[in-house]
Amino acid sequence: MAHALTLNAGSSSLKFGYFHLDTDAGEPDARIVGLVERIGQGQRAHMRAKGPDGAVLIDKEFGRNHVSDHGTALERVVAFLRDRRPDATLSAVGHRVVHGGPDFDAPVELTDKVIKRLAEFEPLAPLHQPHNLSGVRAALELFPDAVQVACFDTAFHRNHPWVNDTFAIPRRFYDEGVRRYGFHGLSYEYISSKLAEIAPHLHMGRTIVAHLGNGASMCGLMGGRSVASSMGFTALDGLPMGTRCGQLDPGVLLYMLQTEGMGADEIQNVLYRESGLLGLSELSNDMRTLEAAAKENERAREAISYFVFRIRRELGALAAALGGVSTLVFCGGIGENSVHIREKVCEGMGWLGMEIDEGRNLRSEQIISTDLSRVRVLVIPTNEELVIARAARDMLAQKEETAA
Ligand code: AMP
């Protein structure tokens, strides 16, 4: 029995999964899934993990500054896993890597050459790529004998039609790699595979997936393959997010540069860390906090309204790009849990053939549309970890075959 660890590093979090693998293509079996959050200077990090039956295996807060970076977070995760599974050796470590640039359209084994190339994409995803790669380096040191596999958020979108892959700027930029990459590909790949399993007839059709979490984007799929995405060159474009601005007139950047005299680092900080729900509400990047405050706090209400408005706009745009829509799927922390956001997104969408059932939505059922709704509206909890574990399994199988 082979074992794999999956790592998914966000700006201040590290999600992990411990899987049993059957390299003869059986589905990876998640034995432990967990998360370290609030990683960073001055913070009290928190680790939680559950077993396959949902039993809590650890729920622990660390002292301030005890988990100051992702390397230390990984050490804590490994210590916890070794404590739980002292005899297990890892055959593979699968990493979520946000940006694969124009080169990578499938998972790849992490060699020195690949890591060097991926480091060149750090400026394209400054909130994620450096953390992803520091996780890779730390894992290489901790598990030198394991196969290390990178799974890219951009890969699922690499076959977009050209009109969805380019910007209308001089062509030399496209040739240099300035393209619409799209992100959250691991999540979309999971949703696509799940749809194929639970509703193959819907999977064959035109689907819009709304991945609404701290990061948020939407994707149009035809027959399970991505044809358009709200995100572009970086993970800034499209929908507003927890702290990211979403779609922005590039003239605003010129204004910041020329009129406000802001530097590039300052602008980057505003667009990635101070905008989105946080920037508009001046309260929080967290939807739960905003929903709780919305009754009394007008700015929290306005931030939520802007979020919903942009999702609805994107829904219409993607429906047009797909030439219609047969299925809408909500996923991500907000998409899976916020009854209110789902209701507001679908409100008055009868013209698009979409109608949700209040009770089904309230109970977050798998299908929340009415029986008469032409568009099926679903809630599917996403599972990026499983997609990474599948890639680790396939890479191991491939290596076994080559060795045989
Ligand atoms: P993610 O990045 O996918 O983990 O999603 C994080 C976002 O989901 C945060 O904005 C949370 O506030 C939001 N979220 C999680 N649970 C709920 C809930 N029950 N209602 C509203 N938002 C939620």
Side-chain angles (χ1 to χ4, degrees):
M1 170 72 65
H3 307 109
L5 175 67
T6 61
L7 296 174
N8 177 351
S11 50
S12 63
S13 67
L14 179 67
K15 289 183 185 156
F16 61 93
Y18 173 77
F19 286 82
H20 287 177
L21 298 184
D22 170 0
T23 45
D24 292 334
E27 191 75 311
D29 181 13
R31 307 307 301 167
I32 300 175
V33 284
L35 164 81
V36 184
E37 52 188 350
R38 297 200 296 269
I39 299 167
Q41 295 290 345
Q43 306 226 63
R44 278 178 185 279
H46 191 158
M47 190 196 290
R48 273 178 291 139
K50 286 184 179 170
D53 52 358
V56 177
L57 304 177
I58 188 170
D59 189 347
K60 173 177 174 175
E61 191 169 74
F62 296 96
R64 204 173 290 284
N65 291 329
H66 283 198
V67 187
S68 54
D69 56 35
H70 285 72
T72 323
L74 180 57
E75 283 169 18
R76 303 277 179 185
V77 169
V78 170
F80 159 70
L81 289 175
R82 287 203 167 130
D83 192 39
R84 306 278 324 174
R85 310 272 162 156
D87 302 329
T89 47
L90 289 180
S91 309
V93 183
H95 301 262
R96 175 189 178 201
V97 176
V98 163
H99 220 301
D103 307 11
F104 300 106
D105 61 2
V108 64
E109 186 174 356
L110 284 152
T111 59
D112 287 347
K113 193 170 157 211
V114 170
I115 295 170
K116 207 164 153 224
R117 179 71 177 134
L118 295 176
E120 291 172 21
F121 306 138
E122 284 188 0
L124 307 185
L127 278 194
H128 295 92
Q129 193 88 343
H131 300 306
N132 299 158
L133 295 184
S134 71
V136 168
R137 292 187 191 101
L140 276 166
E141 265 188 33
L142 285 164
F143 308 107
D145 298 328
V147 176
Q148 309 266 343
V149 186
C151 304
F152 302 103
D153 260 331
T154 47
F156 190 65
H157 307 292
R158 285 315 299 135
N159 293 313
H160 277 183
W162 181 78
V163 287
N164 265 329
D165 194 36
T166 191
F167 299 102
I169 53 177
R171 278 182 179 259
R172 66 185 166 84
F173 288 103
Y174 182 85
D175 298 336
E176 283 168 22
V178 182
R179 304 180 189 187
R180 296 188 57 90
Y181 290 102
F183 297 88
H184 290 135
L186 302 179
S187 174
Y188 294 129
E189 191 176 330
Y190 175 77
I191 298 295
S192 175
S193 69
K194 187 75 186 171
L195 207 55
E197 179 192 319
I198 60 176
H201 58 293
L202 295 181
H203 178 256
M204 295 301 290
R206 297 171 165 86
T207 304
I208 296 174
V209 184
H211 176 109
L212 309 177
N214 207 21
S217 71
M218 290 169 72
C219 180
L221 297 101
M222 195 98 79
R225 294 170 66 112
S226 169
V227 294
S229 151
S230 64
M231 274 187 173
F233 177 51
T234 65
L236 268 185
D237 202 4
L239 304 178
M241 295 163 238
T243 61
R244 284 173 260 167
C245 57
Q247 192 265 326
L248 187 74
D249 176 350
V252 176
L253 297 188
L254 296 177
Y255 172 84
M256 288 177 173
L257 278 165
Q258 294 165 345
T259 309
E260 297 254 324
M262 291 167 70
D265 288 349
E266 221 179 332
I267 294 177
Q268 175 168 301
N269 202 42
V270 166
L271 302 185
Y272 276 94
R273 295 193 165 85
E274 297 178 353
S275 297
L277 296 174
L278 175 66
L280 288 177
S281 69
E282 296 181 325
L283 176 70
S284 174
N285 64 316
D286 193 287
M287 185 56 82
R288 267 170 303 195
T289 309
L290 297 180
E291 287 190 344
K295 241 188 182 149
E296 285 86 37
N297 186 319
E298 193 184 351
R299 290 184 181 184
R301 268 200 309 280
E302 285 177 348
I304 295 173
S305 298
Y306 183 79
F307 184 65
V308 168
F309 171 69
R310 298 303 307 209
I311 296 168
R312 289 166 63 89
R313 250 183 84 140
E314 201 61 47
L315 195 57
L318 286 172
L322 290 170
V325 52
S326 39
T327 312
L328 169 66
V329 181
F330 286 101
C331 66
I334 300 171
E336 290 161 28
N337 297 298
S338 176
V339 173
H340 177 72
I341 296 291
R342 292 195 302 254
E343 181 191 319
K344 286 291 168 194
V345 167
C346 297
E347 195 173 76
M349 283 284 178
W351 63 273
L352 204 55
M354 198 176 283
E355 196 190 350
I356 61 169
D357 180 279
E358 211 182 303
R360 290 175 182 170
N361 185 37
L362 201 62
R363 293 186 293 275
S364 294
E365 289 182 9
Q366 188 169 69
I367 297 177
I368 59 168
S369 46
T370 63
D371 292 341
L372 292 178
S373 177
R374 193 181 50 73
V375 177
R376 283 263 179 271
V377 185
L378 284 84
V379 179
I380 301 180
T382 197
N383 194 342
E384 291 160 315
E385 274 58 45
L386 183 61
V387 175
I388 301 171
R390 285 175 184 160
R393 174 202 63 198
D394 295 346
M395 187 66 73
L396 279 176
Q398 200 181 312
K399 285 183 94 69
E400 273 174 21
E401 217 178 279
T402 320

